[in-house]
Protein backbone atom coordinates (compact mmCIF):
# COMPACT_ATOMS: atom_id res chain seq x y z
CA UNK A 1 0.00 0.00 0.00
CA UNK A 2 2.70 2.63 0.84
CA UNK A 3 4.41 1.90 -2.48
CA UNK A 4 1.14 2.34 -4.37
CA UNK A 5 0.44 5.66 -2.64
CA UNK A 6 3.95 7.01 -3.31
CA UNK A 7 3.73 6.05 -6.99
CA UNK A 8 0.33 7.73 -7.32
CA UNK A 9 1.50 10.92 -5.59
CA UNK A 10 4.61 11.07 -7.77
CA UNK A 11 2.50 10.67 -10.90
CA UNK A 12 0.13 13.49 -9.91
CA UNK A 13 3.10 15.76 -9.16
CA UNK A 14 4.44 15.08 -12.64
CA UNK A 15 1.06 15.83 -14.24
CA UNK A 16 0.78 19.03 -12.18
CA UNK A 17 4.16 20.21 -13.47
CA UNK A 18 3.23 19.38 -17.06
CA UNK A 19 -0.03 21.33 -16.79
CA UNK A 20 1.76 24.34 -15.31
CA UNK A 21 4.24 24.38 -18.19
CA UNK A 22 1.48 24.32 -20.81
CA UNK A 23 -1.18 26.93 -19.97
CA UNK A 24 -4.45 27.07 -21.87
CA UNK A 25 -4.21 29.63 -24.69
CA UNK A 26 -7.09 31.07 -26.72
CA UNK A 27 -7.73 33.82 -29.24
CA UNK A 28 -9.59 36.77 -27.65
CA UNK A 29 -10.93 37.89 -31.03
CA UNK A 30 -9.16 41.23 -30.66
CA UNK A 31 -6.18 42.58 -32.54
CA UNK A 32 -3.25 44.75 -31.53
CA UNK A 33 -2.05 47.93 -33.21
CA UNK A 34 -0.18 45.86 -35.81
CA UNK A 35 -3.29 43.90 -36.73
CA UNK A 36 -2.13 40.67 -35.12
CA UNK A 37 -4.58 38.61 -33.04
CA UNK A 38 -4.31 38.94 -29.27
CA UNK A 39 -4.00 35.65 -27.42
CA UNK A 40 -4.59 35.10 -23.72
CA UNK A 41 -3.24 32.31 -21.53
CA UNK A 42 -4.76 30.79 -18.41
CA UNK A 43 -2.62 28.78 -15.95
CA UNK A 44 -3.72 25.17 -15.53
CA UNK A 45 -3.65 22.96 -12.43
CA UNK A 46 -4.99 19.53 -11.45
CA UNK A 47 -8.57 20.87 -11.56
CA UNK A 48 -8.25 20.80 -15.35
CA UNK A 49 -7.99 17.00 -15.37
CA UNK A 50 -11.06 15.51 -16.98
CA UNK A 51 -10.48 12.12 -15.37
CA UNK A 52 -8.14 10.66 -12.72
CA UNK A 53 -4.70 9.38 -13.62
CA UNK A 54 -4.71 5.73 -14.71
CA UNK A 55 -1.76 3.36 -14.68
CA UNK A 56 -1.81 1.42 -17.93
CA UNK A 57 0.88 -1.02 -16.82
CA UNK A 58 -0.10 -2.79 -13.59
CA UNK A 59 2.88 -3.47 -11.34
CA UNK A 60 3.63 -4.42 -7.76
CA UNK A 61 6.74 -4.21 -5.57
CA UNK A 62 7.50 -7.24 -3.37
CA UNK A 63 9.92 -7.54 -0.45
CA UNK A 64 12.03 -10.68 -0.36
CA UNK A 65 11.21 -12.98 2.54
CA UNK A 66 7.92 -11.28 3.26
CA UNK A 67 6.28 -11.20 -0.19
CA UNK A 68 8.38 -13.54 -2.30
CA UNK A 69 11.02 -16.24 -1.97
CA UNK A 70 13.06 -18.58 -4.13
CA UNK A 71 12.12 -22.25 -3.85
CA UNK A 72 13.91 -25.37 -4.95
CA UNK A 73 13.49 -26.82 -8.44
CA UNK A 74 13.71 -23.33 -10.02
CA UNK A 75 10.46 -22.02 -8.60
CA UNK A 76 9.41 -18.63 -7.24
CA UNK A 77 6.85 -18.32 -4.43
CA UNK A 78 4.66 -15.17 -4.33
CA UNK A 79 2.35 -14.27 -1.44
CA UNK A 80 -1.05 -12.70 -2.14
CA UNK A 81 -3.45 -10.51 -0.14
CA UNK A 82 -5.68 -13.56 0.32
CA UNK A 83 -2.81 -15.22 2.21
CA UNK A 84 -2.32 -17.67 -0.61
CA UNK A 85 0.88 -18.52 -2.35
CA UNK A 86 1.48 -18.58 -6.09
CA UNK A 87 4.21 -20.93 -7.27
CA UNK A 88 5.73 -19.96 -10.63
CA UNK A 89 8.34 -21.85 -12.64
CA UNK A 90 11.33 -19.97 -14.01
CA UNK A 91 11.33 -20.06 -17.81
CA UNK A 92 15.12 -19.60 -18.05
CA UNK A 93 16.62 -21.06 -14.85
CA UNK A 94 20.13 -21.22 -16.35
CA UNK A 95 20.33 -17.45 -16.61
CA UNK A 96 19.16 -17.06 -13.03
CA UNK A 97 21.43 -19.62 -11.39
CA UNK A 98 24.48 -17.36 -11.58
CA UNK A 99 22.85 -15.19 -8.89
CA UNK A 100 22.50 -18.12 -6.50
CA UNK A 101 26.19 -18.82 -5.95
CA UNK A 102 26.16 -17.05 -2.58
CA UNK A 103 27.97 -13.89 -3.70
CA UNK A 104 24.78 -12.05 -4.76
CA UNK A 105 22.11 -10.60 -2.48
CA UNK A 106 18.57 -10.77 -3.87
CA UNK A 107 16.25 -7.94 -2.87
CA UNK A 108 13.15 -6.15 -4.10
CA UNK A 109 11.10 -7.82 -6.83
CA UNK A 110 8.71 -6.10 -9.21
CA UNK A 111 5.73 -7.80 -10.84
CA UNK A 112 4.55 -6.07 -14.00
CA UNK A 113 2.48 -6.76 -17.06
CA UNK A 114 3.80 -6.10 -20.56
CA UNK A 115 1.26 -6.81 -23.27
CA UNK A 116 -0.42 -10.09 -22.39
CA UNK A 117 2.48 -11.44 -20.32
CA UNK A 118 3.49 -11.03 -16.69
CA UNK A 119 7.12 -10.58 -15.68
CA UNK A 120 9.03 -10.66 -12.41
CA UNK A 121 12.06 -8.36 -12.16
CA UNK A 122 14.38 -9.19 -9.25
CA UNK A 123 17.08 -6.81 -8.07
CA UNK A 124 20.46 -8.31 -7.17
CA UNK A 125 23.47 -6.62 -5.60
CA UNK A 126 27.06 -7.73 -5.15
CA UNK A 127 29.93 -6.20 -3.20
CA UNK A 128 33.33 -5.94 -4.89
CA UNK A 129 36.66 -5.09 -3.34
CA UNK A 130 38.26 -1.80 -4.37
CA UNK A 131 40.36 -1.93 -7.52
CA UNK A 132 44.07 -1.62 -6.86
CA UNK A 133 46.36 0.00 -9.44
CA UNK A 134 48.93 -2.74 -8.92
CA UNK A 135 46.58 -5.45 -10.21
CA UNK A 136 46.35 -3.87 -13.67
CA UNK A 137 47.55 -6.23 -16.36
CA UNK A 138 46.21 -4.14 -19.23
CA UNK A 139 45.79 -0.39 -19.71
CA UNK A 140 43.36 0.43 -22.52
CA UNK A 141 42.68 3.92 -23.84
CA UNK A 142 39.25 4.38 -25.43
CA UNK A 143 38.29 7.25 -27.70
CA UNK A 144 34.55 7.63 -28.31
CA UNK A 145 33.05 9.05 -31.49
CA UNK A 146 30.54 8.57 -34.32
CA UNK A 147 32.73 7.55 -37.26
CA UNK A 148 34.05 4.85 -34.95
CA UNK A 149 31.90 4.33 -31.86
CA UNK A 150 35.03 3.40 -29.94
CA UNK A 151 38.69 3.22 -30.84
CA UNK A 152 40.74 1.31 -28.27
CA UNK A 153 44.51 1.18 -27.87
CA UNK A 154 46.33 -1.07 -25.36
CA UNK A 155 49.80 -1.27 -23.82
CA UNK A 156 50.93 -3.68 -26.57
CA UNK A 157 50.30 -1.10 -29.28
CA UNK A 158 47.26 -2.92 -30.62
CA UNK A 159 44.36 -0.83 -31.94
CA UNK A 160 40.73 -1.95 -32.32
CA UNK A 161 38.15 0.06 -34.25
CA UNK A 162 34.39 -0.42 -33.77
CA UNK A 163 32.69 1.08 -36.81
CA UNK A 164 29.72 3.39 -36.42
CA UNK A 165 28.72 3.30 -40.09
CA UNK A 166 25.67 1.08 -39.63
CA UNK A 167 24.67 3.06 -36.55
CA UNK A 168 24.79 6.30 -38.53
CA UNK A 169 22.59 4.79 -41.25
CA UNK A 170 19.94 3.69 -38.76
CA UNK A 171 20.01 7.04 -36.95
CA UNK A 172 19.48 8.90 -40.22
CA UNK A 173 16.56 6.63 -40.98
CA UNK A 174 14.93 7.56 -37.67
CA UNK A 175 15.73 11.21 -38.36
CA UNK A 176 13.89 11.09 -41.72
CA UNK A 177 10.89 9.33 -40.18
CA UNK A 178 10.76 11.91 -37.40
CA UNK A 179 10.89 14.81 -39.88
CA UNK A 180 8.07 13.31 -41.97
CA UNK A 181 5.80 12.83 -38.95
CA UNK A 182 6.58 16.27 -37.54
CA UNK A 183 5.56 17.88 -40.83
CA UNK A 184 2.12 16.25 -40.58
CA UNK A 185 1.37 17.43 -37.05
CA UNK A 186 -1.66 15.17 -36.55
CA UNK A 187 -2.48 13.35 -33.33
CA UNK A 188 -1.70 9.98 -34.87
CA UNK A 189 1.63 11.35 -36.13
CA UNK A 190 2.48 12.53 -32.60
CA UNK A 191 1.68 9.08 -31.21
CA UNK A 192 3.95 7.50 -33.81
CA UNK A 193 6.66 10.04 -32.98
CA UNK A 194 6.59 8.93 -29.35
CA UNK A 195 6.80 5.26 -30.33
CA UNK A 196 9.69 5.93 -32.70
CA UNK A 197 11.56 7.81 -29.98
CA UNK A 198 11.10 4.92 -27.55
CA UNK A 199 12.14 2.39 -30.20
CA UNK A 200 15.29 4.38 -31.03
CA UNK A 201 16.21 4.67 -27.34
CA UNK A 202 15.86 0.90 -26.87
CA UNK A 203 18.02 0.30 -29.93
CA UNK A 204 20.71 2.72 -28.69
CA UNK A 205 20.70 0.99 -25.30
CA UNK A 206 21.15 -2.40 -26.94
CA UNK A 207 24.09 -1.12 -29.06
CA UNK A 208 25.81 0.30 -25.97
CA UNK A 209 25.26 -2.99 -24.10
CA UNK A 210 26.82 -5.00 -26.92
CA UNK A 211 29.74 -2.62 -27.35
CA UNK A 212 30.61 -2.45 -23.65
CA UNK A 213 30.39 -6.25 -23.35
CA UNK A 214 32.66 -6.66 -26.38
CA UNK A 215 35.30 -4.40 -24.84
CA UNK A 216 35.23 -6.16 -21.47
CA UNK A 217 35.37 -9.63 -23.06
CA UNK A 218 38.21 -8.63 -25.40
CA UNK A 219 40.63 -7.42 -22.72
CA UNK A 220 39.63 -9.71 -19.85
CA UNK A 221 39.97 -9.18 -16.11
CA UNK A 222 42.39 -6.83 -14.31
CA UNK A 223 42.08 -4.24 -17.07
CA UNK A 224 42.11 -0.49 -16.55
CA UNK A 225 39.84 1.16 -19.11
CA UNK A 226 40.67 4.85 -19.58
CA UNK A 227 38.08 7.30 -20.92
CA UNK A 228 38.04 11.03 -21.52
CA UNK A 229 36.19 12.99 -18.85
CA UNK A 230 33.41 14.66 -20.85
CA UNK A 231 31.74 16.21 -17.79
CA UNK A 232 30.70 19.76 -18.64
CA UNK A 233 31.71 19.38 -22.29
CA UNK A 234 29.14 21.08 -24.51
CA UNK A 235 28.64 19.59 -27.96
CA UNK A 236 27.64 22.88 -29.62
CA UNK A 237 25.46 22.32 -32.69
CA UNK A 238 27.04 25.24 -34.53
CA UNK A 239 30.37 23.39 -34.49
CA UNK A 240 28.98 20.51 -36.54
CA UNK A 241 27.86 20.21 -40.15
CA UNK A 242 24.14 20.83 -40.48
CA UNK A 243 23.45 17.40 -41.99
CA UNK A 244 25.19 15.61 -39.10
CA UNK A 245 24.24 17.71 -36.08
CA UNK A 246 21.58 15.29 -34.83
CA UNK A 247 23.92 12.29 -34.98
CA UNK A 248 26.92 14.12 -33.50
CA UNK A 249 25.34 15.65 -30.42
CA UNK A 250 22.75 13.07 -29.36
CA UNK A 251 24.54 9.72 -29.01
CA UNK A 252 24.35 8.25 -25.49
CA UNK A 253 28.07 8.38 -24.63
CA UNK A 254 27.37 8.65 -20.90
CA UNK A 255 25.20 5.53 -21.03
CA UNK A 256 28.05 3.65 -22.73
CA UNK A 257 30.36 4.80 -19.93
CA UNK A 258 27.91 3.52 -17.29
CA UNK A 259 27.51 0.14 -18.99
CA UNK A 260 31.27 -0.26 -19.40
CA UNK A 261 31.84 0.64 -15.73
CA UNK A 262 29.49 -1.90 -14.20
CA UNK A 263 30.53 -4.65 -16.63
CA UNK A 264 34.19 -3.93 -15.84
CA UNK A 265 33.48 -4.23 -12.11
CA UNK A 266 31.85 -7.61 -12.68
CA UNK A 267 35.06 -8.69 -14.41
CA UNK A 268 37.49 -7.41 -11.72
CA UNK A 269 38.43 -4.38 -13.84
CA UNK A 270 38.05 -0.63 -13.49
CA UNK A 271 37.17 2.49 -15.49
CA UNK A 272 38.89 5.82 -14.86
CA UNK A 273 38.36 9.19 -16.50
CA UNK A 274 41.17 11.54 -17.45
CA UNK A 275 41.25 15.14 -18.66
CA UNK A 276 40.32 15.48 -22.33
CA UNK A 277 42.66 18.45 -22.94
CA UNK A 278 44.64 18.10 -26.19
CA UNK A 279 44.11 14.32 -26.50
CA UNK A 280 43.08 14.76 -30.16
CA UNK A 281 45.72 17.41 -30.94
CA UNK A 282 48.89 15.92 -29.47
CA UNK A 283 51.38 13.90 -31.48
CA UNK A 284 52.22 10.74 -29.49
CA UNK A 285 55.69 10.55 -31.08
CA UNK A 286 57.16 14.01 -30.50
CA UNK A 287 54.61 15.62 -28.16
CA UNK A 288 53.76 18.44 -30.58
CA UNK A 289 50.31 19.99 -29.90
CA UNK A 290 48.70 21.65 -32.89
CA UNK A 291 44.97 21.74 -33.58
CA UNK A 292 45.55 22.20 -37.31
CA UNK A 293 47.27 18.81 -37.56
CA UNK A 294 43.91 17.05 -37.44
CA UNK A 295 41.84 16.79 -40.63
CA UNK A 296 38.27 16.02 -39.53
CA UNK A 297 36.98 15.32 -43.04
CA UNK A 298 39.70 12.80 -43.89
CA UNK A 299 39.82 11.46 -40.30
CA UNK A 300 43.58 11.84 -40.46
CA UNK A 301 46.19 13.29 -38.10
CA UNK A 302 49.53 14.41 -39.56
CA UNK A 303 52.18 15.99 -37.35
CA UNK A 304 53.72 19.09 -38.93
CA UNK A 305 56.88 18.61 -36.86
CA UNK A 306 57.93 14.94 -37.11
CA UNK A 307 55.62 13.84 -39.95
CA UNK A 308 53.90 11.06 -37.97
CA UNK A 309 50.52 10.27 -39.52
CA UNK A 310 47.65 7.99 -38.54
CA UNK A 311 43.88 7.89 -38.02
CA UNK A 312 42.70 10.83 -35.89
CA UNK A 313 40.58 8.65 -33.59
CA UNK A 314 43.58 6.40 -33.04
CA UNK A 315 45.61 9.47 -31.97
CA UNK A 316 43.03 10.15 -29.27
CA UNK A 317 43.08 6.55 -28.03
CA UNK A 318 46.92 6.50 -27.89
CA UNK A 319 47.06 9.71 -25.85
CA UNK A 320 44.30 8.55 -23.52
CA UNK A 321 46.15 5.27 -22.96
CA UNK A 322 49.31 7.22 -22.12
CA UNK A 323 47.41 9.21 -19.49
CA UNK A 324 46.18 5.91 -18.07
CA UNK A 325 49.76 4.68 -17.82
CA UNK A 326 50.66 7.84 -15.90
CA UNK A 327 47.71 7.20 -13.60
CA UNK A 328 49.02 3.70 -12.85
CA UNK A 329 52.44 5.23 -12.12
CA UNK A 330 51.02 7.39 -9.34
CA UNK A 331 49.66 10.53 -11.02
CA UNK A 332 46.03 10.65 -9.87
CA UNK A 333 45.11 13.52 -12.23
CA UNK A 334 47.17 13.12 -15.40
CA UNK A 335 46.65 15.67 -18.15
CA UNK A 336 48.42 17.20 -21.13
CA UNK A 337 49.52 20.83 -20.86
CA UNK A 338 50.42 22.98 -23.84
CA UNK A 339 53.83 24.54 -23.32
CA UNK A 340 56.32 26.37 -25.55
CA UNK A 341 58.19 23.06 -26.04
CA UNK A 342 55.08 21.34 -27.38
CA UNK A 343 54.20 24.12 -29.82
Amino acid sequence: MPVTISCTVARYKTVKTQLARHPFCYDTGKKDENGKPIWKSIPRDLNWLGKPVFFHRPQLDLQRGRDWSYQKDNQISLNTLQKKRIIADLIEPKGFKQYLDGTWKLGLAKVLKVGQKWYLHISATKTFSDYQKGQSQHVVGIDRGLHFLTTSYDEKGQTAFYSGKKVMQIRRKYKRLRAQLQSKGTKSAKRKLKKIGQRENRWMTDVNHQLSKTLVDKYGSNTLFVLEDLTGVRFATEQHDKDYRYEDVSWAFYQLEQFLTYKAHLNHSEVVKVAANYTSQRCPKCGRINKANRDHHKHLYTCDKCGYSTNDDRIGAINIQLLGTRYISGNDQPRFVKTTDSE
Side-chain angles (χ1 to χ4, degrees), residues 241-260:
D241 293 339
K242 184 177 180 181
D243 294 337
Y244 301 99
R245 285 178 183 174
Y246 172 74
E247 294 87 344
D248 287 347
V249 302
S250 59
W251 184 256
F253 288 120
Y254 179 64
Q255 184 190 66
L256 174 60
E257 176 185 318
Q258 288 180 308
F259 290 169
L260 180 62

Side-chain angles (χ1 to χ4, degrees), residues 300-311:
L300 183 68
Y301 180 95
T302 303
C303 181
D304 62 340
K305 184 178 180 180
C306 68
Y308 180 72
S309 181
T310 188
N311 177 274

Side-chain angles (χ1 to χ4, degrees), residues 225-251:
F225 294 99
V226 190
L227 303 176
E228 290 177 303
D229 187 357
L230 302 179
T231 304
V233 176
R234 175 177 175 265
F235 295 94
T237 56
E238 63 270 13
Q239 297 177 358
H240 299 261
D241 293 339
K242 184 177 180 181
D243 294 337
Y244 301 99
R245 285 178 183 174
Y246 172 74
E247 294 87 344
D248 287 347
V249 302
S250 59
W251 184 256

